[in-house]
Amino acid sequence: MIFDTHAHYNDEAFDEDRDELLKSLPENGIKLVVNVGANLSSTEESIALAEQYDFIYAAAGVHPSDSGELTEANFLLLESMASHKKVKAIGEIGLDYYWDEPDRAVQKEWFARQIALAKKCGLPIVVHSRDAAKDTLDILKAEKADEAGGIIHCFSYGTEMARGFLNLGFYLGIGGVLTFKNARKLKEVAAYAPLDRIVLETDCPYMAPVPNRGKRNSSLNLPYVAGELGRIKGVAEDEIQRATFENGRRLYRIL
Ligand code: NI
């Protein structure tokens, strides 16, 4: 039983065969999926998918790279979307310093505002953090984001930073990168983090694991990630699947 805690099935990469693919997931052991919004329109699309499929839930949020689109008016719209009964988190939100736009001050402001929204709605957060480890941790602390909890998705930092996020009560999202030969840092983090604080994710259509690296990703590839995590931790793959499934249900409060 696998829980894909971070997918983007609204992406145009799935336009050709979305329904066929999604219908095939449960019979292939993918029992829960959270489709994550990255801006207002993909949040709307995520909710539409969650309405269409029982096993799909949604996260409502604006990615740091899209945070320039936020205004007071459409922030209210985001808040109303977040109240939908199948929305289980605010995300993905955070900081992305790999890109110069939008300005860091803009990214920080809307990250903080969306953390406050999560707390107001009683939802956890899905955090996107790239080349911004220290500022991400500082804002999570300043905004008391531990009260919301959530996932540091596509975790890309080292064990030192992992400790900081784990100490705040966050889960680490791990996906296809774990299977890459050169992913030494992430393999160390996977060995270091307790199994009850790791969740599996695809970030599909991106980040397909070996042996499908470079191809379109989907939840069907997650057994490769679970297998690699099992090898690193010396734990059977079915135990990895079971533990990460329960972790996902606990943190998204899907009972
Ligand atoms: Ni994502």
Side-chain angles (χ1 to χ4, degrees), residues 5 25 81 106 145 151 159 171 180 204-205 211 221 237:
T5 62
L25 295 184
M81 290 186 206
V106 172
I151 302 172
T159 50
Y171 291 73
F180 298 176
C204 65
N221 282 321
E237 187 192 322

Side-chain angles (χ1 to χ4, degrees), residues 10 27 44 75 109-110 112 131 154 168 187 193 196 212:
N10 55 291
E27 69 206 42
E44 217 169 357
F75 190 71
E109 182 196 340
W110 290 110
D131 297 345
C154 197
L168 268 190
K187 290 178 199 279
D196 64 359
N212 293 320

Side-chain angles (χ1 to χ4, degrees), residues 8-101:
H8 300 284
Y9 282 114
N10 55 291
D11 192 281
E12 63 184 10
F14 298 106
D15 282 354
E16 296 277 300
D17 60 348
R18 184 176 293 104
D19 190 49
E20 194 186 342
L21 174 63
L22 291 177
K23 277 187 178 140
S24 78
L25 295 184
E27 69 206 42
N28 284 288
I30 314 299
K31 300 296 187 187
L32 286 171
V33 172
V34 170
N35 204 81
V36 177
N39 51 42
L40 292 160
S41 64
S42 58
T43 292
E44 217 169 357
E45 290 162 4
S46 297
I47 292 171
L49 286 173
E51 284 175 339
Q52 199 181 341
Y53 300 91
D54 280 355
F55 68 99
I56 298 183
Y57 291 82
V62 177
H63 186 286
S65 298
D66 284 355
S67 57
E69 79 171 26
L70 277 167
T71 62
E72 293 303 329
N74 61 23
F75 190 71
L76 286 174
L77 199 61
L78 181 65
E79 182 170 351
S80 75
M81 290 186 206
S83 69
H84 189 282
K85 69 177 186 326
K86 288 202 81 178
V87 169
K88 293 293 178 181
I90 298 297
E92 53 191 297
I93 63 175
L95 301 174
D96 193 324
Y97 293 172
Y98 180 81
W99 305 106
D100 292 328
E101 298 285 331

Side-chain angles (χ1 to χ4, degrees), residues 6 8 36 92 128 153 203:
H6 192 120
H8 300 284
V36 177
E92 53 191 297
H128 170 103
H153 129 77
D203 206 17

